[in-house]
Amino acid sequence: MITAEQITAVILAGGRGSRMGGQDKGLVPLDGKPMIEHVISALAPQAGKLIINANRNLEEYAAFGFPVISDELEGYQGPLAGILSTLNQVSTPYLLCAPCDVPGLPEDLGLRLATALQQQQGELAVVHDGKKLQPAFALIPVELRDDLQAYLQRGERKLRSWCRAHRLALADYSDQPERFTNINDSGELQRYSNA
């Protein structure tokens, strides 16, 4: 059984926030606190360590009390760049990934992903919400670091494609797909706040 102590969690907050008018999504207020704080509250108890991947406002992110790692690849190369940078730093055998803009994150994410990984004997585990794959929510063995680095060196950037190139274990969240609603723009932020 994979335990929380064997997992480092990373919150992916390294994007441009272009659909949010260039705002740093993790720091956008939601219900009186930055959006990333909602994610930290749900994710921190699920892992032995927590890291924030960010490429700007580093001091603001560091104020949450967790290590902050920036992408080693320049130019906002997408979530895989943040995942690789984090894989290069962790000492645990597994990395649990979640984006900063999903404030309803389930409190059993790590458990369901770890259970799926072991029961289905996948190379990595990702969430399936009953309708589609949610590859930004993943449990990745650190041993895939070199594979991911080679993928990025070939100029590839698509998270879904990299995941699908491996034997996937699927954590079934068809019972609560709304937990993976991400907030991409001010309209979605308003709708989520009013829900």
Side-chain angles (χ1 to χ4, degrees):
M1 183 67 188
I2 299 169
T3 66
E5 290 304 312
Q6 294 175 289
I7 298 172
T8 298
V10 61
I11 300 174
L12 301 168
R16 287 189 185 116
S18 50
R19 287 180 282 179
M20 191 70 84
Q23 293 183 74
D24 196 331
K25 285 200 285 186
L27 301 175
V28 170
L30 175 66
D31 296 334
K33 57 186 178 181
M35 201 172 329
I36 194 170
E37 207 169 312
H38 297 272
V39 180
I40 290 170
S41 295
L43 204 57
Q46 301 185 48
K49 297 175 183 172
L50 187 129
I51 293 172
I52 298 170
N53 166 244
N55 292 311
R56 55 189 173 148
N57 301 310
L58 303 183
E59 289 182 13
E60 289 179 60
Y61 280 115
F64 291 103
F66 299 97
V68 178
I69 293 176
S70 294
D71 293 355
E72 294 166 6
L73 298 174
E74 294 182 9
Y76 297 96
Q77 299 288 322
L80 285 176
I83 291 169
L84 178 62
S85 296
T86 307
L87 284 170
N88 285 333
Q89 301 287 326
V90 300
S91 58
T92 58
Y94 298 96
L95 183 66
L96 174 61
C97 306
C100 69
D101 61 355
V102 183
L105 196 70
E107 294 174 1
D108 66 348
L109 178 66
L111 177 63
R112 283 204 204 188
L113 285 167
T115 301
L117 185 65
Q118 291 184 308
Q119 288 181 350
Q120 300 170 35
Q121 298 181 343
E123 292 177 286
L124 68 145
V126 298
V127 165
H128 195 285
D129 68 9
K131 292 184 179 177
K132 63 181 180 181
L133 206 62
Q134 296 280 359
F137 305 91
L139 185 65
I140 303 172
V142 173
E143 63 196 30
L144 289 179
R145 174 180 36 224
D146 293 343
D147 178 88
L148 177 54
Q149 186 162 348
Y151 180 82
L152 290 169
Q153 285 174 340
R154 290 193 304 270
E156 302 288 346
R157 295 294 179 264
K158 294 187 187 292
L159 176 58
R160 187 177 307 273
S161 297
W162 181 72
C163 288
R164 288 190 182 276
H166 297 86
R167 191 172 61 255
L168 287 181
L170 301 179
D172 180 9
Y173 271 95
S174 58
D175 59 326
Q176 45 186 319
E178 71 283 354
R179 301 300 293 267
F180 301 94
T181 300
N182 66 327
I183 298 174
N184 284 314
D185 58 41
S186 56
E188 290 174 357
L189 180 65
Q190 186 67 34
R191 283 190 294 279
Y192 194 92
S193 296
N194 293 333

